[in-house]
């Protein structure tokens, strides 16, 4: 069985891969549970049983292995390609953390064990990992305490906004609004809305920073919080961040720090020291846990002193005898935001990563991430418009407006890069930059890999000038050409049907 | 840019064709071009009371979603159900087959808030600069 | 160790290209007054040192207990091929498939996952995954609130208390009115439901099997729910769907659940997998990524993320959900797991679970003073009444090498003597017999 239907991937002439359902053969088995050692039990009454069979594919184990192995080969990944996807921090994920996460003692542990009477000592190793991780993250960010429960960055945002709501409610104030800049990640306004707030959007000024005058106008005692990403999604650090924070605090609003871009500032400044009240981190970004094709991530939330009592339960405590325990005695807690203690497997990998890098290693991460981004910016700014021309942090944002005049749009550049073996930068985000190309190289990429990428980008800029159709036709070297997204949206085909 | 003469326009790029007490409503050629291929519309329910300039429908392309605002106040009479299965009608015929709904408008005076073709033409040229 | 490839010479050249003298200069926008007040972290360690440290911590966890604890999270066997395939780094070091031409493998795998979830639940459409069963249930509830424009939710108290608590937490700043209906003799109380059901109700939420392990056919209740224009939502245990009537067959509008039992290790609570399936008319209310099939310019089949106008990166504060990254790698584990099992394997898995639990019920009911609750049929988990406080029994059983079940008194008032026991395909006849013997000894 050839997954590419008789032609090689290199030529890109295949007819596409069959669905696993299309490889089904009645009677084929990929796995068997063998004979049950229990028999003769009375079957469940028919009225409770499904009448129609789940039409799962039936294949041999090799069929399944070959199918998914070949599917994997159709992906770009950090381990196979440079992946400068802005805002996503696609750094190298060290392999040793995978081995640690697979230790039997961690992998097989039922989350309810420490909640059983007499079960307190059954999960001491995992509880210690969680306790120590909270302490390390608190020191890295300058916050008073952390919860590791949030299961992704956006989930952390929602948790953070709920903490803010609980705080204001406790103060006897119902506040209505959350302020976000127009450069924010879409998750910020969305998280605010889902937690029951109205959103006020502040425009970005010509300097790339949130417009301070507009901000002052919108800020009043009905504002619950201000959500900021710093450095922002343009990759620049606002030197007036402290002023913004103080202004918010003056009207009783809290400051929320979107930690998506923490990679840029580790050891260089801490949200807690600036005066932020709530911080979420993306462990899969800053702390190198694999992104897994879209997750799982982990989105721990840190808070300043005045919000600690509202953190979700359970909390993890260290007792006088150096053992660890779950603590539910927090009457002002917002409650459960996840079933247990967070995405433990992800937290564990991040913990191992932090231990390996240590203080100096984490500082170096920020330094080299910023060096790499500025190097890309410096070498490319002659060829692409740079809407905010200043020292960037961990990522730089170009505009393909100049190329677009010749019909070569950010999307075309992305597709040409794919043909050349590069995962494209983030395109069309932030929304405030026309034809945006958001490049985040990360610290684990060498000068050689940056140079190769930059040379390709320069070549694209030249082609856009002299031979644009070469770019707009791309990709030509991949198993498929550009896909009809309009058709996908007009006539949704979301599942296999026989 | 197609801007027919006999109908009225809003700043949010809706149009209204008025026939007696009834207005037919849709989005303009300019709106259609900035959205690209339309993939989906959400229409108001028949009988719904609309307010001038308030939300009344949604129109979507692959990468954008846009609110549509009522050009006049009044009650929805009919909706163009063809758009549910064939949203491309809006791309093909923004002012005819691609209309969204018809309404019985309630306040003649509100017509003063709308633009005629010439003013809309100028308005669009202003934005395009 | 820091995984940074730069040589001192590289750094020198790069700084000169940028036109600065030092790396410090690149951080000039961060005012001196905002530099860290402290950054007191341990020194770097070698891979070997970190591995040893964590190996020791792993060894502090209990691994030898024979496990009969379920309560929504189950100890199932995972075929080796699941680990082998999902640990291919072309899967696990990729990200959200925004660019289809270089993410085709992921897109197709998610499309297959969505199809499998539809087959399991008997519903029309599925998304690409959510965080876990609890957040999936919250998202389903919000779909119903938006779809109906109503805000009253009727919640069966047989829904896992962990999930009910999550729903209350998430809605504490919203105006949602909850009514909980009791479980009587293990089953959802029809009378109470019909009393509270009205045309203000957005949704009714059930769990099957419910938290006590009881299996029900909700068809009659779902029909009534629909008469009032409300939606019916089921939280389901996917392994049970190898045997039980599906949410689709019972008429449910949305099904969600915890997908951990489909090839995902217990791993102390995560990462897990929230799955969601719904009727096709609700697809535009769904949260999260959805993959759709389409064609390329040569007419060849391919896959893309579609219906994205629902999502936060486009619709921002008006999005159906704030979810961005999901649990794709766990969804892939589920897809591989289900593909390996196939139709026969999936039925076999459900049968083994059912049979072993029935056997355990039989054996345990012979113990003096132990009552196995039999008012409702069960799947692989059931409730027993003990002659003494279940906490005490659980504690003593740990010393005998068993995690013997979940004491219901922790979640339900007046149920201190009740124990919830789960029996998966991994438990042998011999282990079940030993469980019974030890239980008899500690009572």
């Amino acid at each position: 069985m050839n997954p590419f239907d008789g032609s090689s991937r290199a030529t890109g002439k295949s007819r596409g891969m069959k669905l696993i359902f299309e490889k089904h053969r009645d009677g084929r088995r990929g796995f068997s549970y063998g004979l049950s050692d229990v028999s003769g039990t009375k079957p469940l009454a028919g009225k409770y049983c499904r009448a129609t069979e789940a039409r799962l594919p039936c294949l041999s184990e090799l069929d399944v292995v070959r199918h998914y192995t070949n599917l994997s080969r159709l992906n770009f990944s950090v381990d196979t390609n440079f992946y400068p996807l802005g805002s996503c921090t696609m750094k190298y994920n060290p392999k040793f953390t995978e081995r640690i996460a697979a230790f039997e003692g961690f992998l097989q542990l039922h989350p309810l064990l420490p909640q059983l009477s007499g079960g307190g000592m059954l999960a001491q190793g995992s509880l210690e990992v969680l306790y120590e991780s909270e302490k390390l993250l608190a020191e890295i960010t300058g916050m008073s305490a952390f919860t590791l429960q949030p299961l992704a960055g956006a989930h952390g945002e929602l948790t953070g906004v709920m903490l803010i709501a609980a705080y204001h409610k406790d103060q006897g104030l119902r506040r209505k609004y959350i302020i976000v800049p127009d450069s924010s990640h879409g998750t910020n306004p969305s998280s605010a809305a889902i937690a029951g707030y109205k959103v006020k959007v502040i425009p970005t000024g010509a300097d790339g920073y949130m417009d301070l005058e507009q901000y002052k106008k919108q800020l009043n005692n009905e504002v619950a919080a201000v959500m900021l990403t710093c450095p922002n999604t343009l990759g620049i650090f606002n030197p007036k961040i402290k002023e913004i924070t103080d202004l918010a605090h003056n009207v009783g609003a809290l400051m929320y720090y979107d930690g998506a871009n923490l990679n840029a500032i580790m050891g260089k400044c801490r949200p807690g020291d600036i005066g932020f009240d709530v911080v979420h981190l993306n462990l899969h970004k800053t702390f190198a846990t694999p992104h897994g094709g879209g997750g799982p991530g982990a989105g721990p939330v840190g808070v300043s002193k005045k919000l600690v009592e509202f953190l979700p339960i359970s909390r993890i405590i260290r007792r006088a005898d150096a053992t660890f325990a779950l603590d539910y005695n927090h009457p002002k807690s917002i409650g459960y935001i996840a079933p247990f203690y967070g995405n433990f497997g992800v937290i564990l990998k991040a913990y191992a990563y932090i231990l390996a890098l240590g203080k100096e290693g984490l500082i170096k991460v920020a330094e080299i991430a910023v060096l790499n981004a500025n190097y890309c910016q410096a070498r490319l700014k002659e060829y692409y418009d740079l809407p905010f021309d200043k020292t960037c942090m961990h990522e730089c944002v170009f505009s393909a407006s100049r190329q677009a005049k010749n019909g070569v749009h950010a999307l075309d550049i992305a597709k040409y890069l794919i043909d050349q073996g590069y995962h494209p930068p983030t395109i069309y985000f932030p929304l405030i930059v026309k034809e945006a190309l958001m490049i985040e190289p990360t610290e684990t990429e060498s000068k050689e890999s940056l140079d190769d990428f930059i040379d390709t980008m320069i070549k694209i800029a030249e082609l856009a000038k002299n031979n644009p159709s070469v770019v707009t036709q791309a990709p030509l070297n991949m198993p498929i050409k550009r896909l009809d997204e309009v058709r996908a949206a007009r006539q949704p085909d979301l599942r296999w049907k026989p | 840019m197609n801007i027919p003469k006999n109908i009225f326009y809003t700043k949010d790029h809706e149009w209204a064709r008025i026939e007696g007490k009834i207005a037919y409503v849709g989005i303009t050629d300019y709106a259609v071009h900035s959205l690209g291929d339309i993939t989906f519309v959400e229409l108001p329910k028949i009988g719904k009371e609309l307010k001038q300039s308030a939300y009344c429908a949604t129109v979507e392309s692959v990468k954008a979603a846009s609110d549509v605002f009522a050009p006049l106040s009044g009650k929805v009479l009919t909706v163009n159900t063809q758009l549910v299965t064939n949203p491309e009608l809006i791309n093909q015929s923004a002012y005819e087959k691609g209309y969204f709904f018809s309404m019985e408008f309630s306040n003649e005076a509100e017509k003063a808030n709308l633009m005629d073709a010439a003013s809309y033409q100028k308005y669009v040229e202003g934005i395009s600069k | 160790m820091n995984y940074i490839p730069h040589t001192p010479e590289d750094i020198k050249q790069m700084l000169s290209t940028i036109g600065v003298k030092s790396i410090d200069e690149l951080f000039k926008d961060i005012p001196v007054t905002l530099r860290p007040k402290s950054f007191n972290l341990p020194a770097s360690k070698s891979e070997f040192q970190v591995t040893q440290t964590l190996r020791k911590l792993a060894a502090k966890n209990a691994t030898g207990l024979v496990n009969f604890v379920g309560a929504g999270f189950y100890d199932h066997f995972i075929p080796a091929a699941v680990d082998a395939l999902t640990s291919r780094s072309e899967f696990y070091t990729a990200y959200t498939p925004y660019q289809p031409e270089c993410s085709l493998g992921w897109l197709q795998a998610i499309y297959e996952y969505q199809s499998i979830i539809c087959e399991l639940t008997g519903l029309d459409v599925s998304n690409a995954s959510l965080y876990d069963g609890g957040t999936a249930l919250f998202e389903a509830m919000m779909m119903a609130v938006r779809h109906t424009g109503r805000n009253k939710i009727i919640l069966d108290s047989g829904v896992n208390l962990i999930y009910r608590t999550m729903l209350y937490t998430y809605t504490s700043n919203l105006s949602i009115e909850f009514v909980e209906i009791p479980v009587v003799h293990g089953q959802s109380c029809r009378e109470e439901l019909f009393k509270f059901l009205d045309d203000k109700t957005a949704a009714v939420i059930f769990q099957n099997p419910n938290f006590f392990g009881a299996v029900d056919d909700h068809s009659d209740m779902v029909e009534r729910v629909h008469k009032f224009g409300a939606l019916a939502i089921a939280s389901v245990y996917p392994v049970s769907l190898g045997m039980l009537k599906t949410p689709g067959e019972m008429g449910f509008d949305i099904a969600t659940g915890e997908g951990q039992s489909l090839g995902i290790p217990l791993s102390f609570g995560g990462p897990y997998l929230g799955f969601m399936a719904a009727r096709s008319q609700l697809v535009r209310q769904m949260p999260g990524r959805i993959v759709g099939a389409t064609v390329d310019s040569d007419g060849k089949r391919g896959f893309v993320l579609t219906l994205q106008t629902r999502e936060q990166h486009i619709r921002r504060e008006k999005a159906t959900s704030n979810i961005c990254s999901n649990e794709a790698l766990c969804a892939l584990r589920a897809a591989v797991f289900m593909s390996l099992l196939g139709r026969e394997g999936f039925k076999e898995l459900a049968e083994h679970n059912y049979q072993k639990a029935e056997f355990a019920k039989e054996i345990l009911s012979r113990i003096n003073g132990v009552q196995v609750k039999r008012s409702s049929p069960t799947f692989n988990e059931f409730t027993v009444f003990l002659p003494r406080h279940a906490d005490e029994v659980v504690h003593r059983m740990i010393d005998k090498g068993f995690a013997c079940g979940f004491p219901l008194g922790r979640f339900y008032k007046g149920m201190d003597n009740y124990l919830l026991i789960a029996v998966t395909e991994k438990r042998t006849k011999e282990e079940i017999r030993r469980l019974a013997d030890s239980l008899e000894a500690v009572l």
Side-chain angles (χ1 to χ4, degrees):
Chain A
M1 186 183 310
N2 186 324
F4 300 105
D5 296 356
S7 60
S8 83
R9 175 173 179 231
T11 63
K13 294 276 158 59
S14 77
R15 276 170 283 140
M17 238 179 91
K18 280 185 176 173
L19 291 172
I20 196 155
F21 296 91
E22 293 160 354
K23 298 175 179 175
H24 162 87
R25 291 292 175 277
D26 276 333
R28 209 163 263 171
R29 296 290 298 263
F31 184 80
S32 165
Y33 287 91
L35 280 180
S36 172
D37 56 1
V38 169
S39 58
T41 52
K42 213 174 115 196
L44 185 66
K47 69 175 261 200
Y48 297 112
C49 294
R50 68 184 294 160
T52 49
E53 181 180 56
R55 293 162 299 187
L56 298 168
C58 297
L59 295 88
S60 69
E61 181 173 323
L62 172 59
D63 291 339
V64 175
V65 168
R66 200 167 279 166
H67 179 78
Y68 285 106
T69 301
N70 283 315
L71 279 188
S72 79
R73 293 168 62 211
L74 301 176
N75 298 328
F76 284 7
S77 64
V78 174
D79 282 6
T80 53
N81 306 76
F82 181 43
Y83 211 121
L85 188 65
S87 229
C88 298
T89 316
M90 301 300 287
K91 62 170 76 175
Y92 172 65
N93 313 135
K95 300 297 166 192
F96 82 100
T97 65
E98 295 300 316
R99 185 161 60 186
I100 287 168
F103 287 160
E104 192 90 341
F106 290 131
L107 202 63
Q108 305 291 351
L109 201 63
H110 196 293
L112 283 169
L113 284 189
Q115 297 184 30
L116 300 180
S117 163
M121 295 309 288
L122 302 177
Q124 284 297 308
S126 290
L127 291 177
E128 184 170 340
V129 167
L130 295 173
Y131 181 85
E132 292 299 330
S133 299
E134 285 183 5
K135 291 282 165 270
L136 289 172
L137 296 177
E139 180 63 19
I140 290 168
T141 55
M143 305 308 288
S144 294
F146 258 84
T147 173
L148 300 175
Q149 279 190 34
L151 304 169
H155 197 216
E157 289 179 24
L158 181 56
T159 306
V161 177
M162 289 193 301
L163 289 168
I164 288 164
Y167 168 81
H168 287 303
K169 208 188 257 176
D170 190 57
Q171 301 273 307
L173 299 164
R174 279 231 170 239
R175 293 181 175 232
K176 264 203 261 182
Y177 300 101
I178 283 192
I179 286 182
V180 302
D182 61 356
S183 62
S184 70
H185 294 111
T187 47
N188 293 177
S190 172
S191 300
I194 282 162
Y197 284 104
K198 292 202 159 61
V199 176
K200 287 189 182 192
V201 181
I202 310 293
T204 300
D207 52 7
Y209 305 131
M210 179 168 77
D211 185 321
L212 208 53
E213 290 315 307
Q214 287 293 325
Y215 171 65
K216 285 178 189 164
K217 260 187 217 161
Q218 296 289 335
L219 198 59
N220 57 39
N221 62 8
E222 284 200 306
V223 174
V226 181
M227 295 179 89
L228 286 183
T229 307
C230 184
N232 69 8
T233 59
L234 297 164
I236 54 183
F237 190 97
N238 190 342
K240 290 188 178 159
I241 186 74
K242 181 74 180 146
E243 189 184 337
I244 292 171
T245 306
D246 292 344
L247 284 167
H249 285 157
N250 286 346
V251 297
L254 299 180
M255 287 298 296
Y256 184 98
Y257 183 90
D258 176 335
N261 296 344
L262 187 78
N263 211 45
I265 58 156
M266 271 193 294
K268 299 294 176 186
C269 76
R270 305 190 306 169
D273 296 339
I274 301 172
F276 280 93
D277 300 288
V278 188
V279 172
H280 91 260
L281 304 179
N282 302 73
L283 297 188
H284 48 292
K285 295 180 183 176
T286 316
F287 301 104
T289 71
H291 283 60
V301 167
V303 293
S304 60
K305 213 167 242 158
K306 58 181 178 248
L307 289 164
V308 173
E309 58 185 335
F310 304 104
L311 284 174
I313 44 174
S314 55
R315 309 267 324 272
I316 294 150
I317 51 166
R318 188 171 188 269
R319 290 184 292 215
D321 63 356
T323 59
F324 299 90
L326 299 172
D327 179 14
Y328 291 87
N329 187 21
H330 296 276
K332 288 190 178 176
S333 164
I334 58 169
Y336 289 22
I337 58 107
F340 299 106
Y341 327 107
N343 275 343
F344 178 80
V346 178
I347 296 160
L348 175 61
K349 289 177 203 176
Y351 178 58
Y353 174 81
I354 295 171
L355 289 184
L357 269 72
K359 176 181 177 173
E360 294 311 318
L362 291 180
I363 295 173
K364 190 102 180 172
V365 162
E367 291 181 342
I368 302 299
V370 171
L371 176 73
N372 275 0
N374 276 287
Y375 182 71
C376 290
Q377 179 168 293
R379 281 203 58 198
L380 283 172
K381 70 179 184 187
E382 188 185 324
Y383 305 92
Y384 292 88
D385 291 348
L386 185 62
F388 303 98
D389 186 1
K390 50 182 73 178
T391 303
C392 67
M393 299 300 284
H394 64 301
E395 62 195 1
C396 53
V397 179
F398 286 100
S399 162
S401 296
R402 205 187 303 174
Q403 289 72 28
K405 283 182 193 133
N406 284 349
V408 175
H409 295 270
L411 183 74
D412 301 309
I413 294 170
K415 301 304 182 197
Y416 190 84
L417 282 169
I418 292 172
D419 252 352
Q420 304 305 311
Y422 297 101
H423 194 287
T426 293
I427 52 173
Y428 302 112
F429 184 84
L431 304 174
I432 55 170
V433 173
K434 271 193 183 161
E435 300 285 341
L437 295 161
M438 186 193 214
I439 302 169
E440 182 182 12
T442 82
E443 73 282 1
T444 54
E445 294 296 333
S446 66
K447 179 171 178 294
E448 296 92 303
S449 66
L450 298 186
D451 281 332
D452 288 347
F453 170 74
I454 291 164
D455 291 344
T456 306
M457 287 293 288
I458 293 171
K459 186 178 150 202
I460 295 172
E462 278 161 8
L463 285 171
K465 228 188 272 170
N466 307 321
N467 200 357
S469 67
V470 175
V471 186
T472 53
Q473 279 168 21
L476 297 172
N477 302 333
M478 299 304 291
I480 45 162
K481 294 189 179 156
R482 288 194 204 187
L483 290 157
D484 187 347
E485 296 196 52
V486 174
R487 172 180 156 143
R490 278 183 184 162
Q491 303 153 37
D493 170 357
L494 310 178
R495 61 172 293 192
W496 163 83
K497 274 182 198 146
Chain B
M1 197 66 56
N2 181 13
I3 302 178
K5 288 238 161 60
N6 51 348
I7 60 179
F8 295 95
Y9 299 88
T10 71
K11 285 190 171 166
D12 299 309
H13 310 285
E14 292 90 14
W15 57 259
R17 191 173 68 239
I18 292 172
E19 296 177 5
K21 285 303 286 174
I22 294 170
Y24 288 82
V25 176
I27 61 171
T28 68
D29 210 30
Y30 177 86
V32 171
H33 272 95
S34 45
L35 278 163
D37 292 317
I38 309 287
T39 55
F40 177 72
V41 279
E42 194 178 307
L43 300 167
K45 288 207 171 87
I46 292 172
K48 191 174 161 93
E49 288 289 345
L50 304 179
K51 262 204 172 144
Q52 187 175 41
S53 304
Y55 167 86
C56 68
T58 306
V59 56
E60 294 183 3
S61 63
V62 170
K63 295 275 158 76
S66 198
D67 288 345
V68 177
F69 303 100
L72 294 160
S73 303
K75 192 152 104 186
V76 178
L77 289 179
T78 63
V79 296
N80 184 1
T81 48
Q82 285 225 324
L83 299 184
V84 176
T85 42
N86 297 306
E88 58 271 28
L89 287 175
I90 303 168
N91 291 101
Q92 292 158 6
S93 166
Y95 298 101
E96 299 289 336
K97 288 182 184 158
Y99 83 97
F100 280 39
F101 56 87
S102 69
M103 64 189 293
E104 188 178 353
F105 62 96
S106 52
N107 185 354
E108 197 76 23
E110 284 179 355
K111 277 183 2 194
N113 302 329
L114 303 176
M115 289 178 270
D116 63 13
S119 333
Y120 183 65
Q121 174 96 42
K122 256 192 205 150
Y123 173 67
V124 167
E125 282 166 7
I127 318 174
S128 308
K129 275 176 205 160
Chain C
M1 191 59 211
N2 62 22
Y3 310 98
I4 289 166
H6 296 56
T7 65
E9 183 54 32
D10 288 339
I11 294 176
K12 218 169 101 187
Q13 282 181 20
M14 291 168 82
L15 287 172
S16 127
T17 303
I18 298 166
V20 292
K21 292 206 175 64
S22 68
I23 288 182
D24 273 351
E25 237 179 279
L26 299 175
F27 289 89
K28 66 177 186 333
D29 282 341
I30 304 179
V32 181
T33 50
L34 295 185
R35 295 308 168 108
K37 289 186 181 141
S38 130
F39 201 64
N40 191 16
L41 296 167
S44 161
K45 289 191 180 64
S46 72
E47 177 175 330
F48 175 68
Q49 286 170 321
V50 179
T51 305
Q52 288 305 97
T53 303
L54 285 159
R55 197 188 295 280
K56 278 184 202 147
L57 285 185
K60 282 190 183 175
N61 290 333
T63 47
L65 294 174
V66 183
N67 187 39
F68 289 92
V69 174
F73 311 90
Y74 299 92
D75 179 23
H76 290 291
F77 182 76
I78 301 172
V82 175
D83 291 324
L85 291 168
T86 56
S87 61
R88 285 189 64 89
S89 57
E90 299 94 325
F91 279 127
Y92 83 80
T93 72
Y95 202 24
T96 307
Y98 297 115
Q99 298 287 346
E101 298 87 348
C102 61
S103 316
L104 256 193
W106 255 120
L107 287 161
Q108 181 171 333
I110 294 172
Y111 181 87
E112 292 172 354
Y113 160 82
Q114 290 173 179
S115 308
I116 286 167
I117 294 299
C118 292
E119 286 297 322
L120 292 193
T121 56
L123 287 164
D124 306 325
V125 290
S126 153
N127 70 6
S129 78
L130 297 162
Y131 307 130
D132 84 302
T135 50
L137 194 57
F138 166 67
E139 296 277 13
M141 187 191 88
M142 293 309 286
M143 280 170 71
V145 167
R146 289 191 301 269
H147 179 77
T148 59
R150 305 172 181 177
N151 66 353
K152 177 176 163 184
I153 301 291
I154 300 177
L155 193 50
D156 188 296
S157 56
V159 174
N160 195 329
L161 184 80
I162 295 174
Y163 293 169
R164 280 185 282 144
T165 309
M166 286 170 73
L167 295 184
Y168 293 140
T169 303
Y170 284 117
T171 52
S172 60
N173 206 36
L174 310 176
S175 42
I176 306 279
E177 178 198 343
F178 284 98
V179 177
E180 282 205 17
I181 53 164
V183 169
V184 178
H185 298 304
Q187 302 224 311
S188 310
C189 180
R190 268 81 176 160
E191 273 173 29
E192 286 289 309
L193 169 66
F194 298 155
K195 201 162 86 192
F196 288 108
L197 193 58
D198 57 18
D199 56 14
K200 292 189 180 102
T201 308
V204 183
I205 303 176
F206 299 103
Q207 178 175 313
N208 196 45
N210 70 14
F211 192 68
F212 307 97
V215 168
D216 203 346
D217 176 4
H218 294 85
S219 309
D220 56 326
M221 292 182 281
V222 171
E223 206 183 314
R224 279 288 269 274
V225 170
H226 286 158
K227 282 205 177 118
F228 287 92
L231 298 187
I233 299 171
S235 177
V236 291
Y237 168 33
V239 165
S240 76
L241 295 173
M243 177 179 287
L244 300 188
K245 192 174 259 190
T246 66
E249 288 171 332
M250 292 188 222
F252 279 100
D253 302 285
I254 309 172
T256 64
E258 176 49 66
Q260 172 270 326
S261 55
L262 304 177
I264 297 160
L266 282 163
S267 188
F268 204 47
Y272 286 169
L273 166 67
F275 66 85
M276 173 185 279
R279 304 242 170 248
S280 53
Q281 58 268 33
L282 292 168
V283 69
R284 284 176 188 277
Q285 289 297 347
M286 274 191 139
R289 315 287 184 196
I290 296 177
V291 171
T294 184
V295 293
D296 75 357
S297 46
D298 293 341
K300 196 195 295 178
R301 179 173 61 194
F303 304 88
V304 294
L305 293 175
T306 192
L307 305 179
Q308 293 189 64
T309 46
R310 301 165 294 110
E311 294 186 64
Q312 47 77 26
H313 61 285
I314 292 179
R315 199 163 273 185
R316 298 173 74 87
E317 65 268 28
K318 290 181 189 160
T320 55
S321 164
N322 69 334
I323 189 170
C324 180
S325 54
N326 50 39
E327 310 288 292
L329 197 67
C330 299
L332 179 69
R333 291 188 75 93
V336 173
F337 178 80
M338 293 307 293
S339 300
L340 284 165
L341 264 58
R343 296 173 195 189
E344 293 311 311
F346 187 45
K347 278 189 260 180
E348 207 170 76
L349 171 62
E351 271 159 25
H352 284 206
N353 275 265
Y354 173 77
Q355 286 167 356
K356 292 188 180 203
E358 288 299 303
F359 175 74
K361 278 159 81 173
E362 178 58 34
I363 296 280
L364 293 173
S365 65
R366 291 181 202 157
I367 303 171
N368 219 347
V370 173
Q371 288 172 35
V372 174
K373 293 287 148 193
R374 290 183 185 276
S375 51
S376 294
T378 60
F379 175 62
N380 73 343
E381 197 163 22
F382 55 90
T383 303
V384 297
F385 177 82
L386 302 171
R388 58 201 303 173
H389 203 295
D391 273 349
E392 225 176 285
V393 175
V394 167
H395 198 150
R396 290 178 186 209
M397 287 294 281
I398 287 172
D399 297 335
K400 296 203 167 277
F402 290 93
C404 70
F406 184 77
L408 284 169
R410 185 171 153 67
F411 286 175
Y412 293 91
K413 268 194 188 135
M415 293 196 81
D416 286 346
N417 284 29
Y418 289 84
L419 186 68
L420 184 66
I421 298 175
V423 190
T424 70
E425 79 288 351
K426 279 175 80 173
R427 300 285 73 85
T428 63
K429 200 171 186 174
E430 190 260 328
E431 284 170 337
I432 297 167
R433 283 195 200 280
R434 280 204 289 125
L435 171 80
D437 293 346
S438 304
L439 202 56
E440 195 162 16
V442 304
L443 286 178

